Amino acid sequence: MKAEHKKALRICSQIIFGAYIILLTYFLFFAESMGRTFESRTYHYNLVLFKEIRRFIVHRESLGTMAVVLNLFGNVAAFIPFGMILPIMHRRFRSFFYMLFLTFEFSLAVEVIQLVCKVGSFDVDDLLLNTIGGALGYLLFAVMDYIRRKKYE
């Protein structure tokens, strides 16, 4: 890939990543449709792995399909761009385990901020699902990068 194409790709990925972080911040902290309200905020947390995932699966009929999909698949999908875009922005993010750690670390920061600000809840299941999303994003990047290298180089 030519140097000017790499530079343009990095700039585009930085703009897209910035927009992604703004949208993610909105949905994680401010979206009333996602239950982010400022009324009667209290601390909510779950420190038992698979507790909320199990609850959403067991009670899927009473909770509704949309709630289950948003919680289980939404947490994964929300972090796929994190794992996809960062490796495009810089070479140092092109390690699966580094991206796995970085995604976990970023997700942990989000969960702690939610706990401290009493917005949403601190949930270890969200940490797991978000980290899986980042890992899937990185794997999608790796597959697309492999295809690009085979086709154009």
Side-chain angles (χ1 to χ4, degrees):
M1 186 180 287
K2 294 181 181 177
E4 66 255 10
H5 288 124
K6 285 183 180 182
K7 185 175 181 178
L9 184 61
R10 285 203 174 104
I11 290 170
C12 286
S13 65
Q14 290 170 347
I15 292 168
I16 291 168
F17 190 73
Y20 161 72
I21 292 297
I22 290 169
L23 283 171
L24 190 65
T25 301
Y26 171 74
F27 283 112
L28 292 175
F29 298 106
F30 302 108
E32 288 185 19
S33 62
M34 305 297 285
R36 313 298 190 233
T37 61
F38 294 101
E39 300 168 4
S40 66
R41 295 195 287 180
T42 59
Y43 292 110
H44 295 275
Y45 56 90
N46 167 39
L47 302 175
V48 179
L49 192 59
F50 299 115
K51 179 180 178 182
E52 285 298 306
I53 292 172
R54 189 178 312 111
R55 184 176 72 87
F56 273 92
I57 292 171
V58 170
H59 300 290
R60 65 186 173 277
E61 292 173 6
S62 61
L63 292 170
T65 305
M66 186 58 94
V68 174
V69 168
L70 278 176
N71 187 278
L72 300 181
F73 298 107
N75 278 309
V76 172
F79 278 74
I80 289 175
F82 189 85
M84 282 184 72
I85 299 170
L86 281 178
I88 296 170
M89 288 173 51
H90 202 282
R91 284 194 164 286
R92 73 174 158 199
F93 300 120
R94 293 189 183 176
S95 162
F96 177 77
F97 292 108
Y98 184 67
M99 279 305 301
L100 192 68
F101 175 73
L102 199 59
T103 304
F104 176 80
E105 197 173 55
F106 181 68
S107 178
L108 180 61
V110 166
E111 294 295 322
V112 168
I113 292 169
Q114 285 182 332
L115 178 68
V116 170
C117 295
K118 299 178 186 177
V119 176
S121 66
F122 180 96
D123 189 352
V124 294
D125 292 342
D126 287 353
L127 283 172
L128 174 66
L129 295 170
N130 295 345
T131 304
I132 290 170
L136 287 175
Y138 179 82
L139 292 174
L140 285 171
F141 160 78
V143 167
M144 291 187 307
D145 191 49
Y146 176 79
I147 292 169
R148 179 192 63 83
R149 287 177 188 276
K150 284 290 187 187
K151 186 172 183 175
Y152 295 110
E153 292 181 5

